[in-house]
Amino acid sequence: MIGIGLVGAGFRSGLATAAEVPGESRVVAVADVDERAARRAVRERHPGAGVHTDHRALLGRSDVDAVLVITPDNTHADLACDALEAGKAVFVEKPLATTVEDCDRVLRTAEKAGSRLYVGHNMRHMPVVRTMREIVERGDIGAVQSVWVRHFVGNGGDFYFKDWHAERRCTTSLLLQKAAHDIDVVHWLAGAYTERVSAFGALRVYGDGHRREPGAPKPPDWLAPERHWPPRSQRDLNPVIDVEDLSLVNLQLGGGVLAAYQQCHFTPDYWRNYTVIGDAGRLENFGDGSGAVVKVWNRRRSGYAPDADAEHVLPPSTEVHAGADRPLMAEFLRFVRDGGRTDTSPVAARMSVAAGVQATASLRAGGKPHDVPPLDPQLVAYFERGQRPL
């Protein structure tokens, strides 16, 4: 039985339920600085688990084998390092951290402590991403030359501008917070990491919206997308908003692959659109959840042809993230028990953050290109070995 400690009982903490498998794993302790939130999580989802307001008390428990860090982004590095140094296997929700330096600190701590580190890039388990990855790996579109991503964040005003996400001190930027997923997928599909970026962005809509008073809690109806439309009708936004709600990034990857990423937080729809162009065709997804379709074109056309040469229809799903959370947690639990390679990668997680951080720096410098700092080759080798010492 794997005993799990949950650090963070906020909105995303429901992910811990996917880590509970009868007879194999269960949440034995929950820690949150808000004791009421921790007790609510125990009462509603993890009966019998211990409650703590200090994560160090949770780390000191002998029945905790693995720790889930599901807290605001700027707390990930310190909490992960504490858990790794305590000898626990650690799951860190993405992004790994909000600075390149903190990412590298977590990776170095994992190597030094010999504790297992896993980063929750659940999109690597989303059916639409895995389908695109399979198409690319089969060579259906030839060698990848370019990847274009459009991210329509329809609930941006609800999810990201009513709490800590809206503050640079907590996220660095929403470009990093949200694009950490997409840049990781771009890297996975292209088989290369970003080396250089140039970006533009602005706070176009939510900068002059109605804000609640400092210290005031979010109202009960803070998440009501059907009523909070159009975007400028949003009320009770976070008291501090100093991140962008619109951004555009160009990326140069290793091997010469070029990519583009666009993110908008005030669209009427909420989904991601990927176009991957190879030297023998292209693919594109229409929808990214239940019933989505990935189309592949290989033959020459004189115009748009909705009848693709191949169509891959995703299975129906009513689960969040199209059911990606359960295989994500299943992989983590297997990793806790047996170690070895995983589809997610701490190195890839670091590289997606590094690209997002440098894109943010470029954006705030008027588009000036920024180089992405490489990772210490020793750390790369350690994680490529499945976190096994020489």
Side-chain angles (χ1 to χ4, degrees), residues 147 183 186-187 194-198 249-253 257-261 355:
V147 186
I183 293 173
V186 168
H187 291 168
T194 299
E195 296 179 345
R196 192 168 173 81
V197 296
S198 176
V249 187
N250 288 325
L251 309 98
Q252 182 176 327
L253 280 59
V257 175
L258 299 179
Y261 174 76

Side-chain angles (χ1 to χ4, degrees), residues 72-234:
D73 297 354
N74 61 322
T75 67
H76 288 181
D78 287 345
L79 293 171
C81 287
D82 285 352
L84 290 164
E85 289 173 341
K88 311 298 184 181
V90 177
F91 173 103
V92 185
E93 176 68 313
K94 71 85 208 164
L96 175 58
T98 56
T99 68
V100 179
E101 294 77 14
D102 272 349
C103 285
D104 292 356
R105 176 162 63 95
V106 174
L107 298 187
R108 283 194 299 268
T109 300
E111 181 195 31
K112 182 178 179 179
S115 302
R116 291 172 177 166
L117 172 65
Y118 185 96
V119 186
H121 274 279
N122 60 343
M123 282 192 67
R124 290 199 177 203
H125 289 279
M126 284 180 62
V128 67
V129 173
R130 296 186 81 84
T131 298
M132 291 189 294
R133 167 87 169 170
E134 291 164 3
I135 292 169
V136 168
E137 287 198 314
R138 283 198 305 268
D140 292 4
I141 60 171
V144 173
Q145 303 298 317
S146 188
V147 186
W148 306 340
V149 185
R150 297 184 299 166
H151 191 179
F152 309 104
V153 191
N155 291 354
D158 301 276
F159 283 153
Y160 303 107
F161 286 88
K162 289 183 178 173
D163 63 10
W164 56 268
H165 290 88
E167 302 184 36
R168 293 185 185 188
R169 67 180 182 89
C170 297
T171 61
T172 295
S173 71
L174 287 176
L175 171 59
L176 165 61
Q177 210 282 337
K178 295 296 287 176
H181 268 315
D182 296 291
I183 293 173
D184 179 61
V185 172
V186 168
H187 291 168
W188 207 35
L189 295 176
Y193 294 129
T194 299
E195 296 179 345
R196 192 168 173 81
V197 296
S198 176
F200 291 92
L203 180 58
R204 296 287 299 171
V205 170
Y206 298 115
D208 57 358
H210 176 270
R211 307 187 189 190
R212 64 184 186 276
E213 291 298 318
K218 291 188 292 187
D221 69 340
W222 67 273
L223 180 57
E226 68 283 357
R227 289 192 286 114
H228 297 161
W229 186 262
R232 292 190 186 277
S233 70
Q234 287 276 8

Side-chain angles (χ1 to χ4, degrees), residues 15-16 26 29 42 63 65 70 73 87 93 96 135 163 177 188 238 241 258 263 275 319 325-326 348 375 387:
L15 178 64
R26 69 185 183 92
V42 169
D63 58 347
D65 305 299
I70 307 178
D73 297 354
E93 176 68 313
L96 175 58
I135 292 169
D163 63 10
Q177 210 282 337
W188 207 35
N238 198 61
I241 298 177
L258 299 179
Q263 181 186 112
T275 294
E319 294 187 67
D325 288 349
R326 292 194 181 279
L375 180 60
Q387 303 185 41

Side-chain angles (χ1 to χ4, degrees), residues 357-375:
V357 165
Q358 294 301 88
T360 299
S362 172
L363 181 158
R364 293 172 184 164
K368 179 181 177 182
H370 279 60
D371 292 330
V372 176
L375 180 60

Side-chain angles (χ1 to χ4, degrees), residues 280-348:
R282 76 173 180 93
L283 66 78
E284 184 174 357
N285 68 295
F286 295 85
D288 59 8
S290 178
V293 179
V294 179
K295 295 186 176 184
V296 178
W297 291 270
N298 299 111
R299 293 180 294 116
R300 293 285 297 272
R301 263 83 166 181
S302 59
Y304 171 66
D307 55 327
D309 296 302
E311 294 190 5
H312 305 264
V313 181
L314 276 61
S317 174
T318 58
E319 294 187 67
V320 65
H321 300 130
D325 288 349
R326 292 194 181 279
L328 176 80
M329 279 299 170
E331 182 176 67
F332 172 63
L333 293 173
R334 190 271 299 164
F335 178 62
V336 172
R337 288 191 304 267
D338 306 323
R341 299 289 298 274
T342 57
D343 280 347
T344 68
S345 159
V347 170

